[in-house]
Amino acid sequence: MTLSLGKARSAMAVPPADDEPRFRLPKISRRVLANVFLPISFVLFLLLVWQISTQAFHIPPYILPSPSAFLSVLVQRSDVLLMMAKQTAEATLMGFAVGVTVGLAIGGLMGSSRVMYDMIYPSLIGVHAVPSVALIPVFIVWVGIGPQIAVITGAIASFFPVTVIVASAIAASSPELDDVLRSLGARKIDVLLKVSIPQALPQFFGSIKLAISGAFIGTIVAEIVAGSVGIGHVMVIATNNMDGPLAYAGLTILATMGVTLYLIAVLIEKRMTGWAYRRN
Amino acid sequence: MPPLVDLDRVTLTYGEGRRGTPALSDTTLRIAEGEFVAFVGPSGCGKSSLLKLVSGLVPATTGNVIVAQREVTEPIKIVGMAFQNPNLLPWRNTLSNVLLPVEIVQPHRSRLRQDRDAYVTRARSLLKTVGLADFEDKLPWQLSGGMQQRASLCRALMHEPSLLLLDEPFGALDAFTREELWSVLQTLWMERRFTVVLVTHDLREALYLSDTIYVMSARPGRILVRHEVTFPRPRTLASTYEPAFVDALSELRGHISEARGGAAPV
């Protein structure tokens, strides 16, 4: 029998039976242990191994800096790094917003009309087949070098998953639910608003997760190839100067940003489409 | 008084030309206002097609379908429909699922904004009649199959349709729940006296609920027998074991066996 906090309290009034363990961690702290304490300890352990190996094997910092080296750079130059991170975050979110808006519009159009779907889909595949990195030189000709390149590349990288997923989700709306509405004399727009779109929301928010990482990757690639600001640009400067600690400080920021963006997308998804997840 | 539903030599063929599948052949019948009618017959005999014809979801191939003195050419507004699958919208709670029809059907649609309270009260009273008063804010997956079907019935009745079309609404439920819902439906019908067309495989269900039973032949469907049910109401489960009921049941069963082309039961 497990002891929750409430039961532990009542156990004070009534002495526990002999066959029950005297002391067990309450359920809550076991969850915290598994979800917070263990993962963090694991990261600290990896950093420790890393630190010891770089010192023990005398690895030069431009090849692999020790955690203490790049973490202290992270702190010392935090003002510049934060400014650059802000640039990257802005470009990512703007690219993401543009990409999702365009994706929703095209996907919605394709999903609600068979003709549109058949007409647009091949071109879409064609456009997507070109790696977005290859488009950056073309964009440079259009808008010059700078943060705007990152926004465009981010948008290009994020609109595709949204378009394709929204289109198929809306097109696949259940015929039985359609019948319910049709028997009430609903117009096509009613069916779209009351059934198809709500039904497509879980897939849409799933596609948002792909879109946010797409926008992030697109932004970083553009900053590396043609940027004048942003963490991607920091990476280029750091590696050109053989500044290993700075490069790894940049990578740390990128990892943190990537995880944060993903978590935000997951949070929005859970909030908007809770009905689709039966458990909890 | 003119009949509410008037089918005049109606046929229905799915697909076109020689390849078409005939679903219904030469059907003529009239349903009076307030009548409770059941269609029984072997599977694939066009019972559900008949409902789709009456509701205007599919057009007749030949003949006329007239409902409330109007020829049916498109989905009509005076019907409420419930299917074998409850088809509740999974992202809406019970109450807002029941409110769905008044968001779509005129004139309720334009009144909904200002008269919302009145509509909510009506939805609640329907839910109360079917025993779902405490479940209005549950999502469909939190309800049992029988509860979902009750909610689906409420939804079908929400816009006060004068014609309720039921396509095997209790077919997927266990026997106890099914019999419980017969009584729920009978209560609703006796209170409000809408016209009901029920399609079912269950002869006891047809006898318990309806005033008139039509037995249909195998495909292409055609009406073989019109059977009037005169047992007093409200009928109870006990009344389904009375000799007169049992006799009527075996008579109907005989018709169905003929319809399926088999020998009469011993």
Side-chain angles (χ1 to χ4, degrees):
Chain A
M1 196 176 159
T2 49
L3 282 181
S4 69
L5 275 174
K7 283 202 179 134
R9 212 169 286 134
S10 67
M12 279 182 226
V14 184
D18 284 344
D19 57 341
E20 278 187 33
R22 276 293 151 108
F23 179 78
R24 258 178 101 172
L25 281 172
K27 235 183 190 165
I28 285 279
S29 29
R30 255 181 282 150
R31 274 249 296 283
V32 171
L33 183 77
N35 291 341
V36 180
F37 186 69
L38 286 181
I40 289 179
S41 322
F42 184 62
V43 171
L44 292 177
F45 170 74
L46 289 180
L47 288 176
L48 190 69
V49 172
W50 184 343
Q51 178 78 35
I52 292 170
S53 344
T54 45
Q55 282 174 355
F57 301 111
H58 302 290
I59 300 174
Y62 63 87
I63 291 187
L64 187 67
S66 68
S68 63
F70 72 76
L71 289 177
S72 65
V73 168
L74 194 65
V75 176
Q76 282 159 20
R77 302 171 79 169
S78 61
D79 49 344
V80 181
L81 285 173
L82 273 181
M83 204 186 76
M84 291 298 180
K86 193 168 154 266
Q87 286 285 351
T88 301
E90 277 173 11
T92 303
L93 291 179
M94 276 172 72
F96 169 76
V98 173
V100 169
T101 312
V102 173
L104 260 182
I106 302 180
L109 198 67
M110 284 168 64
S112 34
S113 151
R114 182 80 225 179
V115 178
M116 286 290 174
Y117 192 95
D118 292 341
M119 185 172 85
I120 300 174
Y121 196 69
S123 313
L124 197 66
I125 298 293
V127 170
H128 183 63
V130 181
S132 42
V133 191
L135 293 171
I136 293 178
V138 181
F139 298 150
I140 294 176
V141 175
W142 290 349
V143 298
I145 286 187
Q148 61 280 24
I149 291 279
V151 175
I152 297 176
T153 317
I156 292 283
S158 61
F159 97 100
F160 182 78
V162 177
T163 309
V164 174
I165 290 173
V166 165
S168 58
I170 289 185
S173 133
S174 127
E176 281 189 321
L177 291 185
D178 284 4
D179 257 7
V180 171
L181 287 225
R182 283 209 318 128
S183 72
L184 294 168
R187 289 168 300 178
K188 209 171 171 186
I189 182 81
D190 291 326
V191 179
L192 194 69
L193 288 176
K194 305 264 180 208
V195 178
S196 309
I197 289 181
Q199 201 167 37
L201 279 185
Q203 282 103 313
F204 168 66
F205 285 108
S207 78
I208 286 251
K209 286 188 285 188
L210 297 176
I212 192 83
S213 24
F216 191 48
I217 294 169
T219 300
I220 299 300
V221 169
E223 282 175 356
I224 289 176
V225 178
S228 54
V229 285
I231 297 293
H233 188 60
V234 170
M235 298 297 298
V236 175
I237 293 172
T239 43
N240 283 350
N241 296 336
M242 303 282 258
D243 188 348
L246 181 60
Y248 278 75
L251 287 180
T252 311
I253 292 180
L254 289 183
T256 315
M257 284 176 68
V259 171
T260 310
L261 289 172
Y262 184 80
L263 285 182
I264 291 172
V266 170
L267 215 75
I268 297 174
E269 178 187 23
K270 282 276 146 65
R271 212 183 141 67
M272 300 298 288
T273 56
W275 58 268
Y277 304 94
R278 301 186 174 196
R279 282 171 218 119
N280 301 323
Chain B
M1 205 166 64
L4 183 68
V5 178
D6 191 344
L7 301 188
D8 186 20
R9 282 165 297 157
V10 170
T11 67
L12 176 65
T13 306
Y14 288 113
E16 279 171 18
R18 289 194 172 179
R19 286 251 191 105
T21 316
L24 205 65
S25 71
D26 194 30
T27 301
T28 298
L29 65 93
R30 287 171 174 188
I31 300 170
E33 201 151 351
E35 194 177 358
F36 199 128
V37 176
F39 287 89
V40 296
S43 359
C45 71
K47 304 187 295 283
S48 301
S49 301
L50 201 99
L51 284 194
K52 289 190 174 169
L53 278 172
V54 173
S55 66
L57 283 177
V58 297
T61 310
T62 63
N64 295 320
V65 180
I66 293 165
V67 177
Q69 286 104 64
R70 282 231 189 117
E71 173 133 30
V72 176
T73 51
E74 55 176 5
I76 52 177
K77 290 171 192 162
I78 63 156
V79 301
M81 277 189 101
F83 307 85
Q84 180 169 357
N85 187 332
N87 285 331
L88 300 176
L89 304 182
W91 49 89
R92 288 181 168 225
N93 67 24
T94 311
L95 184 68
S96 107
N97 259 299
V98 173
L99 282 169
L100 179 73
V102 292
E103 292 171 22
I104 289 168
V105 180
Q106 289 293 9
H108 308 288
R109 185 188 186 124
S110 25
R111 285 185 203 153
L112 181 61
R113 193 164 292 216
Q114 44 184 346
D115 292 346
R116 190 165 179 89
D117 291 347
Y119 284 113
V120 169
T121 309
R122 181 177 152 70
R124 288 205 172 113
S125 93
L126 276 168
L127 285 172
K128 197 175 166 208
T129 318
V130 302
L132 285 181
D134 297 332
F135 297 89
E136 62 170 59
D137 45 13
K138 294 276 184 280
L139 291 170
W141 63 268
Q142 296 170 305
L143 304 178
S144 69
M147 291 160 116
Q148 290 188 29
Q149 199 52 270
R150 286 163 203 247
S152 161
L153 265 182
C154 292
R155 180 177 63 187
L157 291 170
M158 183 62 207
H159 54 300
E160 304 195 296
S162 37
L163 181 57
L164 181 63
L165 304 179
L166 302 174
D167 193 353
E168 295 182 42
F170 313 128
L173 303 175
D174 65 275
F176 302 114
T177 312
R178 193 184 309 153
E179 288 170 355
E180 217 174 288
L181 287 192
W182 293 351
S183 149
V184 168
L185 178 57
Q186 178 175 249
T187 311
L188 281 168
W189 178 77
M190 289 180 70
E191 267 173 23
R192 297 160 201 247
R193 289 288 167 168
F194 37 81
T195 310
V196 187
V197 180
L198 168 73
V199 160
T200 178
H201 283 299
D202 185 338
L203 299 179
R204 277 180 72 225
E205 179 171 302
L207 275 171
Y208 181 110
L209 284 168
S210 48
D211 300 322
T212 315
I213 298 175
Y214 291 96
V215 180
M216 297 183 63
S217 71
R219 197 171 58 210
R222 168 170 66 78
I223 290 165
L224 288 180
V225 179
R226 179 175 192 274
H227 181 102
E228 285 189 26
V229 188
T230 50
F231 306 126
R233 290 187 192 264
R235 298 170 192 160
T236 60
L237 272 187
S239 67
T240 66
Y241 297 102
E242 282 164 13
F245 193 98
V246 176
D247 287 348
L249 194 61
S250 75
E251 190 192 327
L252 278 178
R253 200 152 277 159
H255 291 311
I256 294 282
S257 297
E258 280 167 40
R260 298 179 62 196
V266 186

